[in-house]
Amino acid sequence: MVLRKIRNLKECLDNSSVYDAYYNGSIDENLIYFESRNGRDFTGNIFRIVEEISTGKYGDFKIHVYATPAVKNRIIEYEKNYNLKISKIITGKKEAAVSLEKAKYVFTDSGIQTKYVKRDGQVFVNTWHGTPLKLMGCDNASEITSLGHIQHSLLSADYLIYPNEYMADRMTNAYMIEKIYPGRVLFEGYPRNSIFFTKNHDLKAELDLEDKEIFVYMPTFRGILSDMDDVGQRDDVEGYMSQIDSKLTENQVLFAKLHAYNESQIDFSKFSHVKAFPKAYEIYEIVNLADVLITDYSSVFFDFANTSRKIVIFNYDEEEYLSYRGFYFPLSDLPFPKVRNVDELVSELNSPKEYDDGAFIQRFCTFDNPHAASNICRHIFKGDKLSREVSIQNDKPNVLIYGGPLEDTDSLIELLDSADFDSYNFFLTFNPWDDNIKNNYSAIFSKFPKGIEYLPFKSNLIPTFKEKLDYDKYFRKGSDMKMPDTLRKLFKRSFEKQYGSISFEFILDFYGLNPDVSLIFANSSQDKIIWQHTDPTGRINQNVLREIYDEFDLVVADSEELADKIASISNKDNLKVW
């Protein structure tokens, strides 16, 4: 208990530094912040954009990169072979969040720091990290409760970069932003894919591979992000590598690389022909050496198709994988050969390419080109409109509904069943950490009518030290304290972090028993209604209820008796019985 209090205190002190930068710090026009997969990677699009900015063509920028200690070591290795002018590699989350609030430009290929609140004047770019084959976001039931983290990043973005129209459609719909995304989609090649338009003969010589036939194996991760079977995949891959190693010839070499989320290390010392990726080179530099790419369900095959070289799909566990993670289209739609065992795989490695991938390349590599990083940087930093730019158009007003922990959904479903989806966009928000939602999400979300979309909360309140002190006083049992301005800032900031610049016709608090959520809504500038089904006086202090009722535009009670109780707390004229 004591240790937890100490940790909470330290966290609040860290928050004070972060939000001091948010409220009081000036934006540094020459600072660019980079984050790749929550600091767990530094390859692909982010790497190539850093490399391009490091040329100095776009100004004298300071480059800050957030990375875990292990990834920091990898960046240091990269700096031996690439012209990367990185000013600071940040490993601490507090320092990263402060840097993030100060930066003029922000680049990420996934989510972003939970504490981040976008500031006016910042330019935010999300490149994402691959064209999807696997179901994601709301299309994958297990991800619905974690939508908020990615939505936070996508809805903060001024630019979303996609190399094909298929991906733009999948991303915006899977993360339920297709009606509310306020920025622009840039249809432009992936910077990481530009490498596939060249051949690096010097690197082959440097790695002593000039006379070798090169294969690359890049499997995807197994499981879901919250329950990754890292050891299981390591054992599977290591077993297959041993079999493959015994069947390769002296002039053949295979480089194996696990997905970024699978950090287990295979023992490569036991193999003669199978090798780990050299650590000092960006991953796609090695992939581009391949005569044949071997993968399974990873997005790498969309990228490597730019080379027109052979791709083999090693789908040895397809049925098992599909039991918990679906695809947007069946593997049979892919033009590449599929193999289920090592003998079939080796046979394909020793056979020429005998399929036509022209239509596939046209659909999925539409905008890939040798100059993608340059095009993006010129577009963003210099205003040269080299990339196709599209804004999402939506004329329907948006309605946001909070339904609490969704334990009794009958009245909420009845309300939604009568909703006019032809005239409005309806969004349901919820706390994904509520036990009922965590344990029963599949059953809960299957009940809601088609057309409802989700904007789950990203986090609990994130108070500064002073806000935490005032919060505890304000919510103390029996307190008659009026809400201090510090808490108004906390709740207003929480709304802005959660919903950014989204405009709602109105917000409906259909639960009325979570004061934190009610006060987040109460401190927004949007029209808001609270619908009280249950007497809250035994759960929430009267001073808090008075603040909530006074700030909402309409208070609805389920009964005359409940309306009388509400009227005794607040003098609101707009109290209605329904």
Side-chain angles (χ1 to χ4, degrees):
M1 180 69 76
V2 174
L3 286 176
R4 187 171 66 183
K5 286 185 176 180
I6 292 172
R7 284 195 295 268
N8 288 341
L9 173 63
K10 182 183 181 303
E11 188 70 18
C12 290
L13 289 170
D14 288 350
N15 298 342
S16 298
S17 299
V18 174
Y19 294 123
D20 179 63
Y22 171 70
Y23 288 115
N24 303 314
S26 59
I27 291 177
D28 187 337
E29 298 288 328
N30 294 315
L31 178 58
I32 310 178
Y33 175 93
F34 286 91
E35 181 171 319
S36 178
R37 303 197 196 194
N38 309 313
R40 293 193 292 252
D41 205 1
F42 184 73
T43 56
N45 294 327
I46 294 298
F47 174 92
R48 292 300 176 188
I49 292 172
V50 169
E51 184 183 41
E52 178 66 20
I53 294 170
S54 295
T55 63
K57 297 175 186 176
Y58 309 98
D60 186 20
F61 287 114
K62 294 174 288 187
I63 296 173
H64 286 188
V65 177
Y66 171 62
T68 64
V71 174
K72 178 179 179 178
N73 292 335
R74 192 190 313 162
I75 296 172
I76 293 170
E77 285 290 315
Y78 285 162
E79 288 177 320
K80 298 175 183 176
N81 291 306
Y82 301 93
N83 179 32
L84 304 179
K85 295 182 179 177
I86 298 172
S87 307
K88 184 181 287 188
I89 303 171
I90 302 170
T91 57
K93 286 195 172 184
K94 182 186 84 169
E95 187 181 359
V98 170
S99 176
L100 185 51
E101 294 294 351
K102 291 181 177 179
K104 171 67 175 180
Y105 299 97
V106 177
F107 285 80
T108 179
D109 60 6
S110 187
I112 198 66
Q113 299 281 323
T114 303
K115 296 176 183 180
Y116 175 63
V117 187
K118 188 181 180 185
R119 301 176 67 184
D120 290 341
Q122 287 187 311
V123 178
F124 192 113
V125 183
N126 187 304
T127 71
W128 204 242
H129 51 266
T131 299
L133 169 68
K134 303 181 290 286
L135 300 183
M136 59 186 182
C138 70
D139 297 327
N140 183 27
S142 65
E143 290 186 28
I144 289 177
T145 56
S146 59
L147 282 175
H149 177 63
I150 299 301
Q151 287 174 336
H152 182 201
S153 176
L154 298 179
L155 291 171
S156 296
D158 297 279
Y159 298 101
L160 302 176
I161 298 175
Y162 300 134
N164 56 70
E165 293 186 357
Y166 160 88
M167 185 175 176
D169 178 69
R170 293 300 183 200
M171 283 293 300
T172 55
N173 282 277
Y175 290 102
M176 295 187 159
I177 64 167
E178 81 284 1
K179 299 170 184 174
I180 54 173
Y181 172 58
R184 287 149 288 179
V185 172
L186 286 190
F187 286 109
E188 178 56 72
Y190 263 177
R192 73 184 190 183
N193 291 347
S194 294
I195 192 73
F196 294 129
F197 293 85
T198 63
K199 271 278 199 175
N200 192 339
H201 298 289
D202 291 339
L203 181 57
K204 287 189 77 170
E206 187 175 333
L207 297 175
D208 196 23
L209 298 170
E210 289 178 292
D211 299 323
K212 300 289 187 181
E213 187 177 12
I214 302 169
F215 309 127
V216 165
Y217 180 37
M218 292 185 69
T220 193
F221 74 88
R222 300 302 194 266
I224 58 177
L225 292 185
S226 60
D227 184 27
M228 290 177 281
D229 185 12
D230 200 38
V231 174
Q233 181 179 24
R234 182 198 63 197
D235 291 345
D236 285 346
V237 172
E238 195 161 11
Y240 284 121
M241 292 301 97
S242 180
Q243 294 180 55
I244 294 169
D245 185 63
S246 67
K247 297 176 183 294
L248 295 181
T249 64
E250 287 305 312
N251 72 323
Q252 294 177 324
V253 61
L254 184 146
F255 288 100
K257 180 72 175 72
L258 291 181
H259 190 279
Y261 281 111
N262 294 113
E263 294 296 334
S264 298
Q265 296 297 311
I266 294 175
D267 180 9
F268 287 92
S269 64
K270 65 180 71 173
F271 303 132
S272 301
H273 308 289
V274 177
K275 302 180 181 298
F277 271 47
K279 292 182 179 180
Y281 299 94
E282 198 277 330
I283 289 173
Y284 271 24
E285 292 270 12
I286 305 303
V287 176
N288 191 39
L289 299 179
D291 297 291
V292 181
L293 170 71
I294 310 160
T295 187
D296 44 20
Y297 325 116
S298 169
S299 64
V300 67
F301 65 72
F302 290 107
D303 301 340
F304 189 77
N306 281 289
T307 67
S308 295
R309 290 176 237 149
K310 187 171 183 177
I311 298 170
V312 178
I313 303 297
F314 187 23
N315 53 326
Y316 64 87
D317 63 344
E318 182 179 353
E319 290 77 15
E320 179 185 353
Y321 192 84
L322 284 171
S323 69
Y324 60 84
R325 188 71 181 266
F327 299 149
Y328 281 114
F329 53 82
L331 294 184
S332 58
D333 286 0
L334 297 173
F336 322 122
K338 294 91 183 168
V339 297
R340 305 300 293 266
N341 57 59
V342 171
D343 287 339
E344 291 177 352
L345 173 60
V346 172
S347 176
E348 283 293 344
L349 294 180
N350 292 311
S351 301
K353 176 183 173 184
E354 295 178 336
Y355 59 85
D356 182 359
D357 53 10
F360 180 91
I361 292 172
Q362 184 175 12
R363 182 184 181 193
F364 295 110
C365 306
T366 315
F367 300 103
D368 280 326
N369 66 85
H371 311 294
S374 172
N375 291 345
I376 290 167
C377 289
R378 288 177 62 186
H379 195 109
I380 292 169
F381 298 119
K382 292 188 173 295
D384 299 337
K385 302 300 183 182
L386 300 176
S387 308
R388 179 182 159 204
E389 192 172 293
V390 176
S391 297
I392 290 176
Q393 302 297 323
N394 175 64
D395 297 327
K396 293 183 188 178
N398 304 309
V399 175
L400 180 68
I401 301 172
Y402 174 65
L406 305 177
E407 291 170 332
D408 181 3
T409 57
D410 290 348
S411 56
L412 177 58
I413 290 172
E414 183 180 354
L415 175 74
L416 293 174
D417 282 341
S418 64
D420 183 1
F421 284 91
D422 291 331
S423 302
Y424 294 88
N425 301 319
F426 289 92
F427 295 89
L428 182 66
T429 191
F430 52 88
N431 293 333
W433 52 85
D434 281 333
D435 286 340
N436 183 56
I437 295 174
K438 280 195 304 184
N439 297 329
N440 303 295
Y441 63 85
S442 184
I444 290 170
F445 294 113
S446 66
K447 296 178 184 177
F448 291 118
K450 187 177 180 181
I452 188 74
E453 302 206 325
Y454 307 117
L455 287 172
F457 278 94
K458 303 163 184 64
S459 69
N460 272 313
L461 295 173
I462 303 178
T464 65
F465 181 70
K466 181 67 167 66
E467 290 166 351
K468 176 59 175 168
L469 292 178
D470 288 345
Y471 180 94
D472 289 344
K473 290 178 186 176
Y474 183 65
F475 282 89
R476 188 175 297 141
K477 187 174 182 180
S479 171
D480 60 359
M481 176 183 178
K482 290 187 176 180
M483 177 178 278
D485 288 342
T486 50
L487 294 192
R488 294 191 190 283
K489 285 178 72 173
L490 168 63
F491 290 117
K492 182 175 184 291
R493 184 178 72 240
S494 299
F495 186 89
E496 291 170 350
K497 177 167 75 74
Q498 175 69 23
Y499 303 109
S501 60
I502 303 172
S503 176
F504 296 104
E505 183 83 355
F506 65 89
I507 298 169
L508 172 59
D509 183 347
F510 198 65
Y511 182 58
L513 296 176
N514 187 325
D516 284 354
V517 172
S518 297
L519 287 168
I520 287 173
F521 295 153
N523 285 274
S524 75
S525 60
Q526 315 251 5
D527 291 342
K528 41 205 169 277
I529 302 167
I530 186 167
W531 194 321
Q532 207 77 68
H533 305 273
T534 305
D535 181 3
T537 56
R539 303 192 194 189
I540 306 171
N541 283 353
Q542 287 201 9
N543 64 317
V544 178
L545 288 171
R546 186 179 302 112
E547 175 71 25
I548 292 170
Y549 296 147
D550 286 352
E551 292 298 325
F552 272 75
D553 300 285
L554 177 63
V555 181
V556 179
D558 261 7
S559 66
E560 292 287 355
E561 181 183 0
L562 185 52
D564 290 341
K565 284 196 174 183
I566 294 172
S568 70
I569 297 170
S570 171
N571 296 320
K572 270 303 232 191
D573 295 330
N574 54 351
L575 172 61
K576 306 293 183 186
V577 178
W578 194 277

